Amino acid sequence: MASSDTAVTMHSAEDEHATLRRVAVSSFLGNFIEWFDYASYSYFATVIALVLMPPGDPTVALLETFGVFALSFLMRPVGAFFWGHMGDKKGRKWALATSILMMSAATFVIGLLPTYEAVGILAPVLLLCLRMVQSFSASGEYAGAATFLAEYAPANHRGLYCSLVPASTATGLLVGSTLATLMFVNFGHDSAFVTEWGWRIPFLLAGPLGFIAHYIRTKLEDSPAFKEMEKENKEAAHPTHLVFKKYRKRLLSSISATMVNAVGFYLVLTYLPTYLTSYTTMEASQAQLATDIALIAYLFIIFGAGTLSDKVGRRRMLLTACGAFFVLSIPCFLMLGTAVFPVVIAAELIMCVTLSLNDANIACYQAEMFPTEVRYTGAALGSNLAYVVFGG
């Protein structure tokens, strides 16, 4: 009898571990797709401007391309309200499975858009519409993935598992950057291959990747915390209203913690190549290589920072990161200004370590800030409001 009970316990533990693994894979893949698209749009911006924007001044076309990106960012808070509400009412599984399908479908269609030469002004209009759909659906991805992982993960390893979310972000940026670099090096920015089909490839890849993530998510059960809340009939009638009424201070704390991450993330991992080529004497290829090295280092550091937070606590890690940013930012930029490759790499690695202390913990911190009935809403609003104002 005892041996039978032991076998059942072992089988149950194996099932839980397999479920947690599938949750981790689906969360990683969904967030990866979002940031792979972000990187692809940024790195192929000059090509998109050439193909989809009105002909004329290249600088104006490029500004229009990034203008589309900026306008679509305004959909983030709208999406946060919607997906947060639906994630707390219909379940984390439903919100994540639906949002990834919508986001990957819109990304895929961007890869099929006709050129400005073929359809005129309709090309940039369609691009703007699809970018808005992307932004709307993506606004529930980061917070939703963090919430889902946090509710499934063992409490003593929650920081480690939630660090998968920022790790997938960096992986998406790295793969997008690598793909664009390889294509430009081998074919050139304005070659026929790149302008006709090359720039479309990363967007078309989102279709099958999104379907795989959607399929995995539909096969999962909702989180134990959400099912327990449903069983006890504790769900909030209006999660958004409750967050602003009862948990307003927590929301402000979430936004405050995230704004450091929003500035630091976009600065360190996306803007520095532009800064180095525009304001120092460093060549573009060296500037991009330095950032790619920093991204790879960040991927290794992020899991260590997440594991450390399980031992010392999220709050202490976040406060340490704030202090490090305050003390180290100016010295690091002075190092960047030398344009000496080893010195630039050293500066970026210092900033990456500092960012990792914050970034590894922010997703888990947001999920832990709110009770189950408003967790998705609180996390989505905290992250998206901060990213729109201080990141976008």
Side-chain angles (χ1 to χ4, degrees):
M1 184 74 172
S3 122
S4 174
D5 289 343
T6 303
V8 170
T9 302
M10 289 178 62
H11 183 69
S12 175
E14 289 175 0
D15 286 345
E16 287 180 6
H17 184 70
T19 300
L20 181 56
R21 188 167 58 247
R22 289 196 297 272
V23 170
V25 169
S26 70
S27 298
F28 186 95
L29 190 55
N31 207 50
F32 166 83
I33 294 169
E34 175 188 347
W35 288 95
F36 176 60
D37 159 64
Y38 170 85
S40 299
Y41 193 92
S42 298
Y43 293 127
F44 285 99
T46 54
V47 182
I48 293 172
L50 180 66
V51 174
L52 298 181
M53 295 298 166
D57 188 336
T59 303
V60 173
L62 186 60
L63 287 172
E64 290 170 342
T65 302
F66 280 112
V68 167
F69 188 86
L71 285 172
S72 66
F73 233 84
L74 298 177
M75 292 299 292
R76 288 278 179 146
V78 179
F81 281 106
F82 177 81
W83 296 113
H85 179 88
M86 299 306 289
D88 284 327
K89 296 296 290 182
K90 295 196 68 170
R92 286 67 161 123
K93 170 187 168 179
W94 182 91
L96 285 168
T98 306
S99 64
I100 190 63
L101 199 61
M102 186 182 297
M103 182 173 65
S104 55
T107 305
F108 181 80
V109 175
I110 286 178
L112 300 175
L113 282 177
T115 65
Y116 186 89
E117 185 180 1
V119 296
I121 195 66
L122 186 61
V125 170
L126 288 173
L127 177 63
L128 176 60
C129 292
L130 290 168
R131 285 296 304 176
M132 284 188 164
V133 172
Q134 279 182 319
S135 194
F136 172 80
S137 54
S139 58
E141 180 62 42
Y142 190 98
T147 297
F148 208 38
L149 273 170
E151 291 181 343
Y152 258 109
N156 60 330
H157 294 301
R158 194 175 288 149
L160 172 61
Y161 277 99
C162 285
S163 65
L164 278 168
V165 179
S168 63
T169 298
T171 305
L173 290 172
L174 181 61
V175 173
S177 169
T178 303
L179 181 61
T181 301
L182 289 174
M183 202 175 292
F184 291 150
V185 167
N186 287 291
F187 299 101
H189 282 71
D190 54 356
S191 66
F193 171 76
V194 172
T195 56
E196 289 177 12
W197 279 106
W199 72 271
R200 300 178 186 271
I201 292 174
F203 296 99
L204 295 175
L205 287 174
L209 288 174
F211 180 79
I212 292 169
H214 172 76
Y215 178 79
I216 294 172
R217 285 173 174 176
T218 56
K219 297 301 178 183
L220 293 170
E221 291 187 7
D222 227 315
S223 71
F226 183 81
K227 289 194 293 184
E228 184 66 24
M229 182 189 72
E230 281 192 315
K231 183 179 177 181
E232 297 179 2
N233 290 320
K234 288 184 177 179
E235 60 264 31
H238 301 287
T240 304
H241 176 73
L242 186 60
V243 166
F244 281 101
K245 181 181 179 182
K246 190 175 180 181
Y247 302 106
R248 186 167 52 250
K249 288 185 178 179
R250 296 189 188 188
L251 178 61
L252 291 174
S253 296
S254 178
I255 293 171
S256 299
T258 309
M259 72 182 185
V260 177
N261 187 70
V263 175
F265 178 85
Y266 283 107
L267 179 69
V268 177
L269 298 183
T270 64
Y271 175 66
L272 281 187
T274 302
Y275 174 82
L276 288 168
T277 54
S278 300
Y279 298 103
T280 75
T281 57
M282 181 168 276
E283 294 180 359
S285 58
Q286 282 193 322
Q288 189 60 58
L289 178 59
T291 300
D292 286 347
I293 291 171
L295 273 169
I296 294 170
Y298 171 92
L299 281 171
F300 285 99
I301 298 166
I302 201 80
F303 293 113
T307 302
L308 183 60
S309 76
D310 287 321
K311 302 181 185 301
V312 304
R314 252 65 75 181
R315 183 173 178 271
R316 185 174 297 176
M317 295 285 284
L318 292 171
L319 288 172
T320 301
C322 286
F325 267 124
F326 183 79
V327 172
L328 298 173
S329 292
I330 292 176
C332 282
F333 268 87
L334 292 174
M335 292 169 68
L336 292 173
T338 66
V340 177
F341 189 65
V343 177
V344 167
I345 290 178
E348 292 203 29
L349 289 177
I350 292 170
M351 296 173 81
C352 265
V353 172
T354 305
L355 176 63
S356 297
L357 297 179
N358 187 279
D359 210 1
N361 295 282
I362 197 65
C364 190
Y365 177 77
Q366 288 173 334
E368 291 176 334
M369 283 284 287
F370 301 95
T372 306
E373 63 268 23
V374 295
R375 182 168 291 135
Y376 204 132
T377 300
L381 288 173
S383 62
N384 283 284
L385 290 174
Y387 270 95
V388 166
V389 177
F390 298 99

PDB file of all heavy atoms in Angstrom, residues 63-83:
ATOM      1  N   LEU A  63      11.460  58.422 -40.847  1.00  0.00           N
ATOM      2  CA  LEU A  63      10.696  59.011 -39.748  1.00  0.00           C
ATOM      3  C   LEU A  63       9.248  58.536 -39.768  1.00  0.00           C
ATOM      4  O   LEU A  63       8.643  58.289 -38.724  1.00  0.00           O
ATOM      5  CB  LEU A  63      10.754  60.537 -39.825  1.00  0.00           C
ATOM      6  CG  LEU A  63      12.088  61.195 -39.439  1.00  0.00           C
ATOM      7  CD1 LEU A  63      12.056  62.684 -39.764  1.00  0.00           C
ATOM      8  CD2 LEU A  63      12.384  60.978 -37.966  1.00  0.00           C
ATOM      9  N   GLU A  64       8.689  58.401 -40.962  1.00  0.00           N
ATOM     10  CA  GLU A  64       7.320  57.889 -41.089  1.00  0.00           C
ATOM     11  C   GLU A  64       7.237  56.448 -40.612  1.00  0.00           C
ATOM     12  O   GLU A  64       6.255  56.052 -39.967  1.00  0.00           O
ATOM     13  CB  GLU A  64       6.856  58.008 -42.546  1.00  0.00           C
ATOM     14  CG  GLU A  64       6.622  59.438 -43.002  1.00  0.00           C
ATOM     15  CD  GLU A  64       6.399  59.543 -44.506  1.00  0.00           C
ATOM     16  OE1 GLU A  64       6.755  58.595 -45.238  1.00  0.00           O
ATOM     17  OE2 GLU A  64       5.886  60.593 -44.944  1.00  0.00           O
ATOM     18  N   THR A  65       8.273  55.661 -40.906  1.00  0.00           N
ATOM     19  CA  THR A  65       8.292  54.261 -40.471  1.00  0.00           C
ATOM     20  C   THR A  65       8.294  54.171 -38.956  1.00  0.00           C
ATOM     21  O   THR A  65       7.535  53.395 -38.359  1.00  0.00           O
ATOM     22  CB  THR A  65       9.538  53.544 -41.039  1.00  0.00           C
ATOM     23  OG1 THR A  65       9.524  53.643 -42.459  1.00  0.00           O
ATOM     24  CG2 THR A  65       9.564  52.080 -40.634  1.00  0.00           C
ATOM     25  N   PHE A  66       9.146  54.981 -38.307  1.00  0.00           N
ATOM     26  CA  PHE A  66       9.175  54.972 -36.851  1.00  0.00           C
ATOM     27  C   PHE A  66       7.959  55.679 -36.259  1.00  0.00           C
ATOM     28  O   PHE A  66       7.561  55.409 -35.120  1.00  0.00           O
ATOM     29  CB  PHE A  66      10.476  55.598 -36.346  1.00  0.00           C
ATOM     30  CG  PHE A  66      11.643  54.654 -36.395  1.00  0.00           C
ATOM     31  CD1 PHE A  66      12.695  54.865 -37.270  1.00  0.00           C
ATOM     32  CD2 PHE A  66      11.678  53.533 -35.589  1.00  0.00           C
ATOM     33  CE1 PHE A  66      13.768  53.984 -37.313  1.00  0.00           C
ATOM     34  CE2 PHE A  66      12.747  52.649 -35.632  1.00  0.00           C
ATOM     35  CZ  PHE A  66      13.795  52.872 -36.496  1.00  0.00           C
ATOM     36  N   GLY A  67       7.353  56.577 -37.028  1.00  0.00           N
ATOM     37  CA  GLY A  67       6.109  57.198 -36.586  1.00  0.00           C
ATOM     38  C   GLY A  67       4.996  56.169 -36.460  1.00  0.00           C
ATOM     39  O   GLY A  67       4.192  56.208 -35.518  1.00  0.00           O
ATOM     40  N   VAL A  68       4.939  55.244 -37.405  1.00  0.00           N
ATOM     41  CA  VAL A  68       3.979  54.138 -37.334  1.00  0.00           C
ATOM     42  C   VAL A  68       4.216  53.328 -36.063  1.00  0.00           C
ATOM     43  O   VAL A  68       3.282  52.953 -35.351  1.00  0.00           O
ATOM     44  CB  VAL A  68       4.095  53.237 -38.588  1.00  0.00           C
ATOM     45  CG1 VAL A  68       3.340  51.929 -38.394  1.00  0.00           C
ATOM     46  CG2 VAL A  68       3.568  53.971 -39.813  1.00  0.00           C
ATOM     47  N   PHE A  69       5.493  53.062 -35.777  1.00  0.00           N
ATOM     48  CA  PHE A  69       5.848  52.315 -34.571  1.00  0.00           C
ATOM     49  C   PHE A  69       5.396  53.060 -33.315  1.00  0.00           C
ATOM     50  O   PHE A  69       4.837  52.472 -32.384  1.00  0.00           O
ATOM     51  CB  PHE A  69       7.356  52.092 -34.543  1.00  0.00           C
ATOM     52  CG  PHE A  69       7.822  51.181 -33.445  1.00  0.00           C
ATOM     53  CD1 PHE A  69       7.843  49.815 -33.627  1.00  0.00           C
ATOM     54  CD2 PHE A  69       8.235  51.700 -32.229  1.00  0.00           C
ATOM     55  CE1 PHE A  69       8.271  48.974 -32.609  1.00  0.00           C
ATOM     56  CE2 PHE A  69       8.664  50.871 -31.214  1.00  0.00           C
ATOM     57  CZ  PHE A  69       8.679  49.504 -31.402  1.00  0.00           C
ATOM     58  N   ALA A  70       5.630  54.384 -33.293  1.00  0.00           N
ATOM     59  CA  ALA A  70       5.274  55.191 -32.121  1.00  0.00           C
ATOM     60  C   ALA A  70       3.764  55.244 -31.909  1.00  0.00           C
ATOM     61  O   ALA A  70       3.272  55.114 -30.790  1.00  0.00           O
ATOM     62  CB  ALA A  70       5.837  56.601 -32.278  1.00  0.00           C
ATOM     63  N   LEU A  71       3.016  55.435 -33.003  1.00  0.00           N
ATOM     64  CA  LEU A  71       1.561  55.499 -32.886  1.00  0.00           C
ATOM     65  C   LEU A  71       0.986  54.182 -32.376  1.00  0.00           C
ATOM     66  O   LEU A  71       0.056  54.168 -31.562  1.00  0.00           O
ATOM     67  CB  LEU A  71       0.941  55.841 -34.254  1.00  0.00           C
ATOM     68  CG  LEU A  71       1.081  57.304 -34.703  1.00  0.00           C
ATOM     69  CD1 LEU A  71       0.601  57.461 -36.143  1.00  0.00           C
ATOM     70  CD2 LEU A  71       0.278  58.227 -33.788  1.00  0.00           C
ATOM     71  N   SER A  72       1.553  53.072 -32.840  1.00  0.00           N
ATOM     72  CA  SER A  72       1.046  51.775 -32.398  1.00  0.00           C
ATOM     73  C   SER A  72       1.295  51.557 -30.911  1.00  0.00           C
ATOM     74  O   SER A  72       0.554  50.822 -30.246  1.00  0.00           O
ATOM     75  CB  SER A  72       1.704  50.652 -33.209  1.00  0.00           C
ATOM     76  OG  SER A  72       3.087  50.571 -32.950  1.00  0.00           O
ATOM     77  N   PHE A  73       2.324  52.217 -30.363  1.00  0.00           N
ATOM     78  CA  PHE A  73       2.626  52.083 -28.938  1.00  0.00           C
ATOM     79  C   PHE A  73       1.487  52.612 -28.070  1.00  0.00           C
ATOM     80  O   PHE A  73       1.309  52.189 -26.929  1.00  0.00           O
ATOM     81  CB  PHE A  73       3.913  52.848 -28.618  1.00  0.00           C
ATOM     82  CG  PHE A  73       4.944  52.019 -27.918  1.00  0.00           C
ATOM     83  CD1 PHE A  73       5.814  51.213 -28.631  1.00  0.00           C
ATOM     84  CD2 PHE A  73       5.045  52.034 -26.539  1.00  0.00           C
ATOM     85  CE1 PHE A  73       6.769  50.454 -27.997  1.00  0.00           C
ATOM     86  CE2 PHE A  73       6.001  51.276 -25.880  1.00  0.00           C
ATOM     87  CZ  PHE A  73       6.865  50.480 -26.622  1.00  0.00           C
ATOM     88  N   LEU A  74       0.706  53.533 -28.625  1.00  0.00           N
ATOM     89  CA  LEU A  74      -0.407  54.103 -27.867  1.00  0.00           C
ATOM     90  C   LEU A  74      -1.494  53.077 -27.578  1.00  0.00           C
ATOM     91  O   LEU A  74      -2.353  53.293 -26.716  1.00  0.00           O
ATOM     92  CB  LEU A  74      -0.999  55.294 -28.630  1.00  0.00           C
ATOM     93  CG  LEU A  74      -0.044  56.481 -28.860  1.00  0.00           C
ATOM     94  CD1 LEU A  74      -0.730  57.558 -29.685  1.00  0.00           C
ATOM     95  CD2 LEU A  74       0.430  57.053 -27.526  1.00  0.00           C
ATOM     96  N   MET A  75      -1.475  51.942 -28.293  1.00  0.00           N
ATOM     97  CA  MET A  75      -2.458  50.891 -28.057  1.00  0.00           C
ATOM     98  C   MET A  75      -2.106  50.045 -26.841  1.00  0.00           C
ATOM     99  O   MET A  75      -2.923  49.244 -26.385  1.00  0.00           O
ATOM    100  CB  MET A  75      -2.562  49.985 -29.290  1.00  0.00           C
ATOM    101  CG  MET A  75      -3.172  50.656 -30.510  1.00  0.00           C
ATOM    102  SD  MET A  75      -4.874  51.213 -30.215  1.00  0.00           S
ATOM    103  CE  MET A  75      -5.718  49.645 -30.055  1.00  0.00           C
ATOM    104  N   ARG A  76      -0.905  50.211 -26.318  1.00  0.00           N
ATOM    105  CA  ARG A  76      -0.479  49.392 -25.180  1.00  0.00           C
ATOM    106  C   ARG A  76      -1.400  49.516 -23.954  1.00  0.00           C
ATOM    107  O   ARG A  76      -1.821  48.508 -23.396  1.00  0.00           O
ATOM    108  CB  ARG A  76       0.960  49.743 -24.802  1.00  0.00           C
ATOM    109  CG  ARG A  76       2.004  49.256 -25.788  1.00  0.00           C
ATOM    110  CD  ARG A  76       2.323  47.795 -25.532  1.00  0.00           C
ATOM    111  NE  ARG A  76       3.288  47.282 -26.473  1.00  0.00           N
ATOM    112  CZ  ARG A  76       4.200  46.375 -26.178  1.00  0.00           C
ATOM    113  NH1 ARG A  76       4.282  45.909 -24.958  1.00  0.00           N
ATOM    114  NH2 ARG A  76       5.025  45.928 -27.105  1.00  0.00           N
ATOM    115  N   PRO A  77      -1.709  50.748 -23.503  1.00  0.00           N
ATOM    116  CA  PRO A  77      -2.602  50.840 -22.344  1.00  0.00           C
ATOM    117  C   PRO A  77      -3.985  50.266 -22.621  1.00  0.00           C
ATOM    118  O   PRO A  77      -4.592  49.658 -21.742  1.00  0.00           O
ATOM    119  CB  PRO A  77      -2.670  52.352 -22.078  1.00  0.00           C
ATOM    120  CG  PRO A  77      -1.475  52.927 -22.734  1.00  0.00           C
ATOM    121  CD  PRO A  77      -1.232  52.078 -23.937  1.00  0.00           C
ATOM    122  N   VAL A  78      -4.495  50.472 -23.848  1.00  0.00           N
ATOM    123  CA  VAL A  78      -5.815  49.923 -24.211  1.00  0.00           C
ATOM    124  C   VAL A  78      -5.783  48.404 -24.101  1.00  0.00           C
ATOM    125  O   VAL A  78      -6.677  47.773 -23.533  1.00  0.00           O
ATOM    126  CB  VAL A  78      -6.202  50.348 -25.645  1.00  0.00           C
ATOM    127  CG1 VAL A  78      -7.559  49.755 -26.022  1.00  0.00           C
ATOM    128  CG2 VAL A  78      -6.227  51.868 -25.758  1.00  0.00           C
ATOM    129  N   GLY A  79      -4.719  47.805 -24.666  1.00  0.00           N
ATOM    130  CA  GLY A  79      -4.578  46.361 -24.581  1.00  0.00           C
ATOM    131  C   GLY A  79      -4.416  45.879 -23.160  1.00  0.00           C
ATOM    132  O   GLY A  79      -4.923  44.821 -22.783  1.00  0.00           O
ATOM    133  N   ALA A  80      -3.703  46.654 -22.340  1.00  0.00           N
ATOM    134  CA  ALA A  80      -3.505  46.262 -20.943  1.00  0.00           C
ATOM    135  C   ALA A  80      -4.834  46.186 -20.196  1.00  0.00           C
ATOM    136  O   ALA A  80      -5.071  45.237 -19.430  1.00  0.00           O
ATOM    137  CB  ALA A  80      -2.579  47.269 -20.260  1.00  0.00           C
ATOM    138  N   PHE A  81      -5.709  47.161 -20.412  1.00  0.00           N
ATOM    139  CA  PHE A  81      -7.037  47.127 -19.795  1.00  0.00           C
ATOM    140  C   PHE A  81      -7.812  45.891 -20.246  1.00  0.00           C
ATOM    141  O   PHE A  81      -8.413  45.178 -19.432  1.00  0.00           O
ATOM    142  CB  PHE A  81      -7.826  48.391 -20.149  1.00  0.00           C
ATOM    143  CG  PHE A  81      -7.454  49.598 -19.350  1.00  0.00           C
ATOM    144  CD1 PHE A  81      -6.707  50.621 -19.904  1.00  0.00           C
ATOM    145  CD2 PHE A  81      -7.853  49.727 -18.022  1.00  0.00           C
ATOM    146  CE1 PHE A  81      -6.351  51.741 -19.168  1.00  0.00           C
ATOM    147  CE2 PHE A  81      -7.513  50.841 -17.268  1.00  0.00           C
ATOM    148  CZ  PHE A  81      -6.750  51.847 -17.840  1.00  0.00           C
ATOM    149  N   PHE A  82      -7.790  45.629 -21.566  1.00  0.00           N
ATOM    150  CA  PHE A  82      -8.585  44.525 -22.111  1.00  0.00           C
ATOM    151  C   PHE A  82      -8.057  43.164 -21.664  1.00  0.00           C
ATOM    152  O   PHE A  82      -8.794  42.347 -21.099  1.00  0.00           O
ATOM    153  CB  PHE A  82      -8.602  44.594 -23.641  1.00  0.00           C
ATOM    154  CG  PHE A  82      -9.340  43.445 -24.282  1.00  0.00           C
ATOM    155  CD1 PHE A  82     -10.718  43.467 -24.368  1.00  0.00           C
ATOM    156  CD2 PHE A  82      -8.655  42.339 -24.775  1.00  0.00           C
ATOM    157  CE1 PHE A  82     -11.408  42.411 -24.948  1.00  0.00           C
ATOM    158  CE2 PHE A  82      -9.325  41.276 -25.358  1.00  0.00           C
ATOM    159  CZ  PHE A  82     -10.707  41.312 -25.444  1.00  0.00           C
ATOM    160  N   TRP A  83      -6.763  42.908 -21.909  1.00  0.00           N
ATOM    161  CA  TRP A  83      -6.221  41.588 -21.595  1.00  0.00           C
ATOM    162  C   TRP A  83      -6.136  41.348 -20.098  1.00  0.00           C
ATOM    163  O   TRP A  83      -6.313  40.203 -19.638  1.00  0.00           O
ATOM    164  CB  TRP A  83      -4.848  41.421 -22.241  1.00  0.00           C
ATOM    165  CG  TRP A  83      -4.900  41.445 -23.731  1.00  0.00           C
ATOM    166  CD1 TRP A  83      -4.392  42.395 -24.555  1.00  0.00           C
ATOM    167  CD2 TRP A  83      -5.540  40.481 -24.595  1.00  0.00           C
ATOM    168  NE1 TRP A  83      -4.663  42.092 -25.877  1.00  0.00           N
ATOM    169  CE2 TRP A  83      -5.365  40.928 -25.923  1.00  0.00           C
ATOM    170  CE3 TRP A  83      -6.232  39.299 -24.365  1.00  0.00           C
ATOM    171  CZ2 TRP A  83      -5.856  40.221 -27.016  1.00  0.00           C
ATOM    172  CZ3 TRP A  83      -6.733  38.582 -25.439  1.00  0.00           C
ATOM    173  CH2 TRP A  83      -6.540  39.052 -26.756  1.00  0.00           C
TER     174      TRP A  83
END
